[in-house]
């Protein structure tokens, strides 16, 4: 019997043919679906979902001054015309409003782009359609801005690599990533899965819409401004090529937005990886690696998403020193704004900050940072009290009201030292004990850490 007949009877040749036909049909269906994506963006249910998301996210007005609360009335009157402009390809997004925010650590500023509320609404509608198309094809080790993934997942994975013996990290810092993304390279990668030319045109216009700064519109030839709903997805689309390259090479890595750590077993291996990845990023993706901030080092001397690790064989997670300094700066700002107000009110204003910070760092198992922060916060609050009491006589009176005997109260009040020294002295610790702060509602970070550990 001829070989082809045997294959036909055995099912191999026919099965392969059916698989090819099914694959071709699926590809054709997928292609036809991605050529009609703009209509999916403009579908009523999708727009309603986008509207609710923009409303819940709130946010500041863009260059036109329209607030989130104004959006509903605006859409009732103008949306049919705007929808038609989007359909026929004549819609022009407005420039984003530039806001410079301080970088963590106080070194320089980062540009935040605030689109108009209308453009946030349209971009959110686009995001909801594109995300299910791109997300399933992204790396399992990309954790930023993806459904069902978060920074905690990335930190846990990083700790697991170190536990498995990969005790050297290649910490890659991309210089001004969100400001330097090449539009042509990005759009080429979007177009691999999106065939709807009108939608591609709209996305391109959002990338090139420009930035308004001090009343002047600046052309936007590169970058995806932080603050745009589409920006995180677009950055993931471009950096997915880095993820795929790392997977192809068999590396162990975690990436969250533009934060990428690769874990290897030695400094020499790390230096080779750093050199080759720098070449890949700069030549293939036209991104610049910041040589001053990137490093090959032990994980316990670097930070990843605000966390660091201990150097034990089974590492424990701890708060990175930079994260502690950032929290201290935020607390100082709350205290500065709270001058002249009751301590209980200041504590009330501080509580959401502390609670949110603890929720983010709930994976930490090293307690030292929380003990020190608790002591520092209480001392800062005692310092506020000492200033509020103003004169030595008032201070002596307040100390006596809090149980300090008269001679000691007057000696302490007239000691000539400043508020910070007195806030750490024994007379203020006795007059304003830990129990008193608890009665005012001050949250203990150490107690909260223990509670979170019990729940985990």
């Amino acid at each position: 019997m001829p070989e082809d007949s045997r294959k036909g009877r055995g099912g191999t040749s026919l099965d392969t043919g059916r698989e090819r036909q099914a694959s071709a049909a699926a590809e054709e269906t997928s292609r036809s679906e991605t050529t009609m994506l703009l209509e999916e963006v403009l579908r009523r249910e999708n727009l309603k979902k986008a509207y609710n998301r923009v409303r819940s996210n709130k946010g500041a007005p863009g260059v036109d001054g329209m607030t989130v609360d104004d959006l509903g009335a605006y859409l009732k009157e103008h949306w049919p015309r705007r929808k038609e402009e989007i359909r026929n390809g004549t819609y022009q997004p407005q420039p984003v409003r530039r806001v410079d925010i301080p970088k963590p650590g106080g070194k320089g500023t980062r540009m935040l782009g605030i689109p108009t509320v209308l453009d946030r609404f349209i971009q959110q509608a686009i995001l909801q359609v594109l995300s299910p198309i791109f997300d399933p094809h992204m790396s399992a080790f990309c954790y930023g801005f993806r459904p069902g993934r978060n920074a905690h997942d990335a930190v846990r994975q990083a700790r697991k690599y170190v536990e498995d013996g990969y005790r050297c990290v290649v910490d890659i810092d991309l210089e001004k990533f969100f400001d330097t993304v090449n539009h042509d390279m990005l759009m080429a990668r979007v177009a691999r899965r999106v065939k709807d030319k009108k939608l591609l045109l709209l996305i391109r216009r959002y990338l090139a819409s420009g930035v308004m700064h001090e009343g002047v519109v600046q052309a936007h030839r590169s970058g995806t401004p932080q603050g745009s709903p589409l920006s995180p997805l677009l950055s993931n689309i471009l950096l997915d090529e880095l993820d795929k390259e790392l997977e192809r090479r068999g590396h162990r890595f975690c990436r969250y937005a533009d934060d990428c750590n690769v874990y290897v077993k030695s400094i020499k291996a790390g230096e080779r990886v750093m050199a080759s990845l720098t070449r890949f990023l700069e030549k293939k993706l036209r991104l610049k690696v910041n040589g001053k901030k990137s490093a090959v080092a032990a994980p316990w001397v670097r930070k990843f998403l605000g966390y660091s690790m201990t150097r034990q064989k089974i590492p424990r997670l701890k708060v990175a020193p930079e994260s502690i300094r950032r929290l201290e700066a935020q607390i100082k700002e709350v205290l500065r704004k709270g001058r002249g107000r009751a301590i209980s009110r200041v504590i009330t204003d501080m509580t959401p900050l502390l609670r949110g910070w603890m929720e983010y760092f709930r994976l930490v198992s090293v307690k030292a940072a929380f003990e020190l922060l608790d002591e520092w916060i209480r001392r800062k609050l005692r310092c506020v009290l000492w200033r509020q009491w103003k004169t030595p006589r008032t201070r002596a009176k307040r100390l006596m009201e809090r149980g300090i005997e008269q001679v000691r109260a007057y000696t302490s009040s007239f000691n000539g030292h400043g508020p910070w020294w007195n806030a750490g002295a024994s007379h203020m610790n006795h007059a304003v004990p830990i129990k008193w702060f608890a009665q005012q509602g001050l949250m203990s970070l150490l107690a909260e850490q223990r509670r979170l550990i019990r729940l985990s």
Side-chain angles (χ1 to χ4, degrees), residues 10-66:
T12 306
S13 175
L14 293 175
D15 287 349
T16 302
R18 290 192 191 99
E19 287 171 4
R20 286 174 180 166
Q21 288 176 357
S23 176
E27 188 176 335
E28 185 61 33
T29 301
S30 175
R31 188 179 294 112
S32 66
E33 287 173 350
T34 59
T35 58
M36 300 175 64
L37 288 177
L38 187 61
E39 289 306 312
E40 182 63 22
V41 170
L42 298 175
R43 191 167 55 87
R44 182 179 178 82
E45 291 78 7
N46 187 57
L47 294 173
K48 185 176 180 181
K49 182 180 176 183
Y51 173 78
N52 290 335
R53 176 57 65 90
V54 170
R55 289 271 299 171
S56 65
N57 287 345
K58 299 181 181 179
V63 295
D64 61 357
M66 185 195 302

Side-chain angles (χ1 to χ4, degrees), residues 331 334-335 346-354 377 381 442:
I331 290 172
V334 172
L335 295 176
V346 175
I347 289 172
T348 299
D349 291 344
M350 195 189 300
T351 298
L353 169 63
L354 297 179
I377 291 168
L381 290 170
L442 180 63

Side-chain angles (χ1 to χ4, degrees), residues 397-410:
K397 181 181 177 182
R398 295 288 182 262
L399 289 174
M400 287 188 289
E401 289 172 352
R402 293 165 179 269
I404 304 296
E405 60 96 17
Q406 185 176 9
V407 173
R408 186 184 179 197
Y410 273 93

Side-chain angles (χ1 to χ4, degrees), residues 285-332:
L285 300 183
R286 299 184 193 175
L287 298 170
K288 185 170 177 58
V289 174
N290 188 328
K292 292 181 180 179
K293 292 185 178 179
S294 300
V296 178
W300 42 89
V301 300
R302 303 294 293 177
K303 66 179 176 66
F304 181 50
L305 302 178
Y307 282 81
S308 187
M309 302 182 199
T310 63
R311 60 191 306 160
Q312 296 156 307
K313 187 173 182 180
I314 300 179
R316 299 163 67 200
L317 294 172
K318 62 180 184 178
V319 185
E322 294 91 334
S323 301
I324 294 172
R325 288 194 290 269
R326 194 183 312 175
L327 176 65
E328 289 175 344
Q330 291 172 314
I331 290 172
K332 287 177 182 177

